[in-house]
Amino acid sequence: MSTPYAKLPAWADYGLIPLINLAVAFIVAGFVVLLVGENPFRAAVILVEGAFGKGTGIAFTLFYATTFIFTGLSVAVAAHCGLFNIGTEGQAYIAGLGIAIICLSFDSVLPWWLTFPMAIVASALVGALWALIPAYLQAKRGSHIVITTIMFNFIAASIMVYLLVGPLKPAGSQAPQTRNFLAGAELPKLNWIIELFGAKIRSAPLNVTFLLALLMAFLVWLLIWRTKLGYEMRTYGHSPKAARYAGISETRIIITAMMISGALAGMMALNPVMGDQHNVAIDFVSGAGFVGIAVALMGRLHPVGIVLAAVLFGMLYQGGAELAFEMPAISRDMIVIIQGLVILFAGALEHMFRPYIQALFASFSPRSVGMEAVKGKGA
């Protein structure tokens, strides 16, 4: 008879297994670096130092992490309800339209601390409404959420391209983007916080959206684990039949979860649009929605894990840029390979080592030891 799997303690389930997956991913990535004739240990040092060795690197790492926190939370909220929201990319992209309307309308008459709250509401509202249609189709018509959200990514991209090369583009400009925002729509930087610890920052786009991302992570934790709605979402995600038997409205819970997910995705657009480039340009999302899937999976759908996973991917983005500069043999494409390996082991192969770890814990559990003792006496 096979050894029964033990229920893992929280520290192993949420800490040990992701760390093992991450270690294996970097070991395999080390072999890839070795194949191109570079020293993998030196590459690892450059990667870490590029992300955390200087104040500018830390600021850029946290800037990228801010984006991934929003998209990771977006995917996690839907996943807790048993929904795989692949439309985070499109929801964030189309939310740029809501931000553009607010910023272009009020950047010359209001200060940033009044424009910012309105932009938060606008981005969340547009993202939520964009997620509403696939949610309604799933709840009412049975259309699979994965298919519809993928389709809506392309629709969002097409709408934004049309607007940015047409109605929103300033007259006489060749660039497919809005005009640059004035000071009333530029978010203040948070570089001074890092400089308090003695680090020097030349120029980095870390801004107050980082604080908003941390606040959203806390609110998502409250929602999922401390509210009735969160309990209903988790119940439906675990067993739709049990949820229906308990009187939970399937339509309401699907639409609500997807709209919250879309709102979180929409707020991601605040970081690059108001915090960095100060305009809405084509493809400003740059794949962050899809990275959010990996961040959510690696963070085990928990806000704390998502924040840590977002910082990890921020490190890969910033440290990878430094690595490509210091080691010309390692191109940006190879950095994408390293990121892909992390996604592979943290996402697709997340359960590869779980059976062995569970069997190991089972062999050392008190019940297992007691059974062995009984067998010994019987002999």
Side-chain angles (χ1 to χ4, degrees), residues 11 19 53 64 82 97 106 119 176 178-179 193 199-200 219-220 232 244 272 274 305 310 312 317 370:
W11 65 267
L19 285 176
Y64 294 129
L97 176 60
F106 299 103
T178 66
R179 67 165 173 82
I193 296 179
K200 299 297 182 183
L219 292 179
V220 167
E232 291 176 340
R244 286 192 292 268
M274 294 184 69
L312 169 67
Y317 267 62

Side-chain angles (χ1 to χ4, degrees), residues 228-263:
K228 177 186 176 183
L229 175 61
Y231 178 77
E232 291 176 340
M233 289 167 56
R234 288 185 288 120
T235 301
Y236 183 83
H238 183 72
S239 175
K241 290 183 178 180
R244 286 192 292 268
Y245 181 79
I248 297 173
S249 171
E250 184 174 7
T251 300
R252 177 180 62 85
I253 207 67
I254 289 175
I255 290 178
T256 302
M258 277 299 295
M259 289 188 71
I260 294 173
S261 177

Side-chain angles (χ1 to χ4, degrees), residues 67-123:
T67 295
F68 302 144
I69 290 172
F70 282 116
T71 55
L73 292 173
S74 171
V75 173
V77 167
H80 277 293
C81 194
L83 303 169
F84 196 10
N85 181 15
I86 301 188
T88 302
E89 183 89 359
Q91 291 149 18
Y93 201 1
I94 201 72
L97 176 60
I99 298 174
I101 293 172
I102 295 297
C103 293
L104 294 174
S105 300
F106 299 103
D107 61 352
S108 62
V109 295
L110 295 177
W112 75 268
W113 48 270
L114 290 178
T115 309
F116 188 41
M118 291 192 295
I120 293 174
V121 173
S123 62

Side-chain angles (χ1 to χ4, degrees), residues 54-55 58 62 190-201:
K54 297 180 181 179
I58 295 172
L62 294 180
L190 292 181
N191 298 333
W192 59 272
I193 296 179
I194 299 175
E195 291 176 341
L196 288 177
F197 297 92
K200 299 297 182 183
I201 299 178

Side-chain angles (χ1 to χ4, degrees), residues 98-183:
I99 298 174
I101 293 172
I102 295 297
C103 293
L104 294 174
S105 300
F106 299 103
D107 61 352
S108 62
V109 295
L110 295 177
W112 75 268
W113 48 270
L114 290 178
T115 309
F116 188 41
M118 291 192 295
I120 293 174
V121 173
S123 62
L125 181 61
V126 174
L129 291 176
W130 197 250
L132 171 62
I133 305 174
Y136 179 84
L137 293 174
Q138 165 82 32
K140 289 293 189 180
R141 309 299 298 176
S143 303
H144 202 289
I145 200 73
V146 171
I147 303 300
T148 53
T149 50
I150 289 176
M151 292 170 60
F152 269 69
N153 284 340
F154 288 99
I155 296 172
S158 299
I159 292 174
M160 292 301 289
V161 168
Y162 165 74
L163 292 173
L164 291 173
V165 300
L168 292 179
K169 188 178 72 170
S173 173
Q174 296 298 317
Q177 63 186 43
T178 66
R179 67 165 173 82
N180 289 334
F181 303 149
L182 302 179

Side-chain angles (χ1 to χ4, degrees), residues 270-283:
L270 295 163
N271 190 42
V273 170
M274 294 184 69
D276 180 22
Q277 59 199 38
H278 305 134
N279 58 49
V280 177
I282 281 183
D283 199 26

Side-chain angles (χ1 to χ4, degrees), residues 203-243:
S203 177
L206 178 64
N207 59 84
V208 295
T209 313
F210 176 66
L211 303 179
L212 178 65
L214 296 180
L215 175 62
M216 289 300 112
F218 175 70
L219 292 179
V220 167
W221 175 80
L222 284 179
L223 168 69
I224 299 299
W225 282 279
R226 291 296 184 271
T227 66
K228 177 186 176 183
L229 175 61
Y231 178 77
E232 291 176 340
M233 289 167 56
R234 288 185 288 120
T235 301
Y236 183 83
H238 183 72
S239 175
K241 290 183 178 180

